[in-house]
Amino acid sequence: MRRDVPTLVARAREGDARSVARLITLVENGDPALPEVAATLAPYAGRAQVVGLTGSPGVGKSTTTNELVKALRATGRRVGVLAVDPSSPFTGGAILGDRVRMQEHTLDPGVYIRSMSSRGQLGGLSAATPQAVRVLEGAGCEVILVETVGVGQAEVEIATLADTTLVLLAPGMGDAIQAVKAGVLEIADVFVINKADRPGADATYRDIQGMLGLGERLAGDWRPQVVRATAVRGEGIDDVVAAIEKHRAWLESTGKLTARRERRAAVEVEAIALGALRARIGDLKHGTALSTLATAVAAGELDPYAAAEELVKGL
Amino acid sequence: MRRDVPTLVARAREGDARSVARLITLVENGDPALPEVAATLAPYAGRAQVVGLTGSPGVGKSTTTNELVKALRATGRRVGVLAVDPSSPFTGGAILGDRVRMQEHTLDPGVYIRSMSSRGQLGGLSAATPQAVRVLEGAGCEVILVETVGVGQAEVEIATLADTTLVLLAPGMGDAIQAVKAGVLEIADVFVINKADRPGADATYRDIQGMLGLGERLAGDWRPQVVRATAVRGEGIDDVVAAIEKHRAWLESTGKLTARRERRAAVEVEAIALGALRARIGDLKHGTALSTLATAVAAGELDPYAAAEELVKGL
């Protein structure tokens, strides 16, 4: 039985986890009810602090997220976690039990944890994740952690989505160099050097500090914080929380929080508009227009720009 | 002084590296001449074999690419290399001297090497890279290696773009497990276990074989090859080339080459069409429409779907 949207939202606002789950499933599936969900949730926009968390595979993202949840819960805040797997467009979700990994929080009604797959959709993270964030905001989460695997487009998207972006590194993975290569220097508000008890942690710390020193920064710009942690033992997590709060205070005092959120909304609105246009392209000539043109392009009979122009004209 | 497009293409076809470079720059910059470039290049579409090469940072992609170039050149084929950095939208390109790293080939007129940044543009790789591939095809490259950092959306895009996709792994990076998590099992035509002289290589090999055994595969489907290599010493590269050629032969004998290329063309055409629509959205109301709507959305006065609908109506 399908509940109506206002009832689902009302229940989610009362903290009913099943209603939250249903709303996020609507979001994930691109349900036709999405515009109504969005309209019902609009008044609660912007209430939560959104913290992005990214890094290479194996760097300890899940463990760090788990520890951050603990630390934030200890301060009494309601916490939402979205674990987004941008690289799994085919399987439709994280395989290895992400939903299970944070079991210790499952009995805590102040924590809502959800794995999502972006399923290779247009815009990747930017399409579904902001709506899921809105659901969690509507459900009263005060901090929302959005965790995703870097390196790649997803990292950039998370930086657009989040108020504060954490980039995790670990010693001995060549990460400090790769970090620059991957452009994360530009998106990180806080660097967390995890596994700080391992050899090479100090070198990684110095590398990152050195690179931050090289970058151009205008007066009044945020200087990314570099924090050492050993998440698996819970060490340094308070410092990570402190860095997040320091960044939040800076965003508010400079007016950049509003600017970031307006930019986020612009990305979101544009992604929805392009998604709608893409659906219309897919429907052209009963769904045959694109494949007919593609066949001609693959055969060298038509160039892709001429083909695209024909599609756009057909809308 | 700007040359006209037909002259540039004619010179590129004669193997003039500077003309090739200029054409790719036009592509990278989204030059207004792009449709003309595409129209001029259309007849040469589909002549080259496109090989994608991806893997986590530090897995040895550059070294492997370099060795593959050597091996392919030894057979007399003209080779193009596109090193795409999808994660560097801000800096506009690979920083650490990718352009320099393959210096040993710079005097060989049978090799064209180019680093590109996808600059966070809509569709990432899918927007600019196919056009760059077309330029190299037009210039007579018989094999085009497209190298990009995984994990992420870029990997999926490279699989769409390539005839054959190589996924590089290295022992001791937890990669075999991560590979499944990241969905690369679905996109890899050939797994290359690089650094095969290191401890753990056999375990990685067995892990991958085991996972391949678990996956469902229909009769007649391609079973991904798993090849061991130590690229830094040039070992195993011939096996990689053999696996690529085996896959190519399979694609041709099953008719899947044409199917893959039509799918590729569809992605390309759609990306161009959406890019054009995005530009039109950006121009609405002298460029103010989106930001005005975004401000309302960020303030909770409007929901993003209603805002998107307004944009689409305005087109």
Side-chain angles (χ1 to χ4, degrees), chain A residues 35 269 272-273, chain B residues 304-314:
Chain A
V269 169
I272 294 168
Chain B
Y305 284 85
E309 207 185 317
E310 224 167 291
L311 280 182
V312 171
K313 270 190 207 151

Side-chain angles (χ1 to χ4, degrees), chain B residues 16-267:
Chain B
D16 176 42
R18 293 185 72 177
S19 299
V20 176
R22 283 200 196 179
L23 286 168
I24 296 187
T25 301
L26 294 182
V27 165
E28 264 195 318
N29 296 342
D31 193 277
L34 254 186
E36 194 191 350
V37 171
T40 314
L41 290 169
Y44 314 113
R47 297 196 177 179
Q49 181 177 9
V50 182
V51 177
L53 197 149
T54 187
S56 300
V59 86
K61 286 182 297 298
S62 306
T63 313
T64 304
T65 301
N66 195 19
E67 291 301 314
L68 282 172
V69 170
K70 267 195 220 168
L72 292 163
R73 285 300 295 145
T75 67
R77 279 175 282 191
R78 297 193 66 191
V79 181
V81 176
L82 291 173
V84 185
D85 188 345
S87 46
S88 191
F90 300 100
T91 49
I95 308 177
L96 293 178
D98 268 345
R99 281 166 209 255
V100 193
R101 76 194 151 103
M102 291 194 279
Q103 260 176 338
E104 61 181 291
H105 301 297
T106 48
L107 294 175
D108 178 351
V111 182
Y112 188 85
I113 295 166
R114 174 73 171 234
S115 292
M116 287 179 76
S117 161
S118 61
R119 290 187 191 160
Q121 52 189 298
L122 180 73
L125 280 181
S126 55
T129 319
Q131 315 308 325
V133 166
R134 285 172 186 283
V135 170
L136 293 176
E137 271 180 334
C141 291
E142 294 162 87
V143 182
I144 299 167
L145 300 171
V146 184
E147 177 201 318
T148 192
V149 171
V151 184
Q153 192 64 17
E155 269 183 351
V156 178
E157 288 174 6
I158 215 172
T160 312
L161 181 74
D163 299 326
T164 299
T165 302
L166 310 187
V167 172
L168 264 67
L169 303 171
M173 293 179 70
D175 258 325
I177 302 284
Q178 296 291 347
V180 184
K181 198 173 177 186
V184 299
L185 220 50
E186 291 93 342
I187 63 159
D189 300 308
V190 179
F191 283 101
V192 179
I193 299 174
N194 193 30
K195 307 185 182 181
D197 56 341
R198 293 206 184 166
D202 289 341
T204 303
Y205 183 87
R206 281 194 307 272
D207 284 353
I208 287 291
Q209 290 287 15
M211 286 171 189
L212 290 173
L214 290 176
E216 283 177 49
R217 203 167 293 112
L218 303 174
D221 276 3
W222 172 254
R223 183 182 164 104
Q225 305 285 293
V226 188
V227 181
R228 281 178 261 217
T230 306
V232 76
R233 291 206 301 264
E235 290 170 13
I237 297 300
D238 289 345
D239 297 335
V240 178
V241 172
I244 293 169
E245 282 170 0
K246 190 176 172 189
H247 184 248
R248 167 64 181 239
W250 176 85
L251 284 174
E252 285 185 342
S253 68
T254 56
K256 298 209 191 237
L257 186 61
T258 305
R260 278 203 182 198
R261 288 179 168 185
E262 287 176 359
R263 197 184 54 177
R264 186 199 305 176
V267 171

Side-chain angles (χ1 to χ4, degrees), chain A residues 57-69:
Chain A
V59 86
K61 286 182 296 297
S62 306
T63 313
T64 305
T65 300
N66 196 19
E67 291 301 315
L68 282 172
V69 170

Side-chain angles (χ1 to χ4, degrees), chain A residues 108-172:
Chain A
D108 178 351
V111 181
Y112 188 85
I113 295 168
R114 173 74 170 231
S115 291
M116 288 179 76
S117 161
S118 62
R119 289 185 192 160
Q121 52 190 295
L122 180 75
L125 280 181
S126 54
T129 318
Q131 313 309 323
V133 166
R134 285 173 186 283
V135 171
L136 293 176
E137 272 180 336
C141 291
E142 294 162 86
V143 181
I144 299 169
L145 300 171
V146 184
E147 177 200 319
T148 193
V149 170
V151 185
Q153 192 65 18
E155 272 183 349
V156 177
E157 289 174 5
I158 215 172
T160 312
L161 182 74
D163 299 327
T164 299
T165 301
L166 310 187
V167 172
L168 264 65
L169 303 171

Side-chain angles (χ1 to χ4, degrees), chain A:
Chain A
M1 202 189 72
R2 170 100 174 250
R3 283 196 192 287
D4 63 307
V5 167
T7 306
L8 275 177
V9 170
R11 292 195 175 220
R13 288 196 54 70
E14 289 160 10
D16 176 43
R18 294 185 71 177
S19 300
V20 175
R22 283 199 195 177
L23 287 168
I24 295 185
T25 300
L26 294 182
V27 165
E28 263 195 318
N29 297 342
D31 192 276
L34 255 186
E36 194 191 349
V37 172
T40 315
L41 289 169
Y44 314 113
R47 297 195 178 179
Q49 181 176 9
V50 182
V51 177
L53 195 148
T54 188
S56 299
V59 86
K61 286 182 296 297
S62 306
T63 313
T64 305
T65 300
N66 196 19
E67 291 301 315
L68 282 172
V69 170
K70 268 195 220 167
L72 292 163
R73 285 300 296 145
T75 66
R77 279 175 279 189
R78 298 194 66 190
V79 181
V81 176
L82 291 173
V84 185
D85 188 346
S87 46
S88 191
F90 301 100
T91 49
I95 309 176
L96 294 177
D98 267 347
R99 284 166 207 254
V100 194
R101 76 192 152 102
M102 291 195 279
Q103 261 175 337
E104 62 179 291
H105 301 300
T106 48
L107 294 176
D108 178 351
V111 181
Y112 188 85
I113 295 168
R114 173 74 170 231
S115 291
M116 288 179 76
S117 161
S118 62
R119 289 185 192 160
Q121 52 190 295
L122 180 75
L125 280 181
S126 54
T129 318
Q131 313 309 323
V133 166
R134 285 173 186 283
V135 171
L136 293 176
E137 272 180 336
C141 291
E142 294 162 86
V143 181
I144 299 169
L145 300 171
V146 184
E147 177 200 319
T148 193
V149 170
V151 185
Q153 192 65 18
E155 272 183 349
V156 177
E157 289 174 5
I158 215 172
T160 312
L161 182 74
D163 299 327
T164 299
T165 301
L166 310 187
V167 172
L168 264 65
L169 303 171
M173 295 178 68
D175 258 323
I177 301 286
Q178 295 291 348
V180 183
K181 199 173 177 188
V184 299
L185 220 50
E186 291 93 341
I187 63 159
D189 301 307
V190 178
F191 282 101
V192 178
I193 299 174
N194 193 27
K195 307 185 183 183
D197 56 342
R198 293 206 183 167
D202 289 341
T204 304
Y205 183 88
R206 280 195 306 272
D207 284 354
I208 287 292
Q209 291 286 14
M211 287 170 190
L212 290 173
L214 289 175
E216 282 178 49
R217 203 167 293 113
L218 302 174
D221 276 2
W222 172 254
R223 183 183 165 104
Q225 304 286 292
V226 188
V227 180
R228 281 179 262 216
T230 306
V232 77
R233 290 207 302 263
E235 290 169 13
I237 296 300
D238 288 345
D239 296 337
V240 177
V241 172
I244 293 169
E245 283 170 0
K246 188 175 172 187
H247 184 246
R248 167 66 181 238
W250 176 84
L251 283 174
E252 286 185 341
S253 68
T254 55
K256 297 207 191 240
L257 186 62
T258 304
R260 278 203 182 199
R261 290 180 167 186
E262 288 177 358
R263 196 184 56 179
R264 186 199 306 177
V267 170
E268 190 182 353
V269 169
E270 190 186 58
I272 294 168
L274 288 170
L277 290 165
R278 188 189 206 188
R280 280 165 61 175
I281 286 175
D283 289 341
L284 285 176
K285 298 194 184 167
H286 307 286
T288 65
L290 179 56
S291 63
T292 305
L293 290 166
T295 303
V297 168
E301 296 156 7
L302 188 69
D303 77 78
Y305 283 86
E309 206 184 319
E310 223 167 290
L311 280 181
V312 171
K313 270 189 205 150
L315 287 179

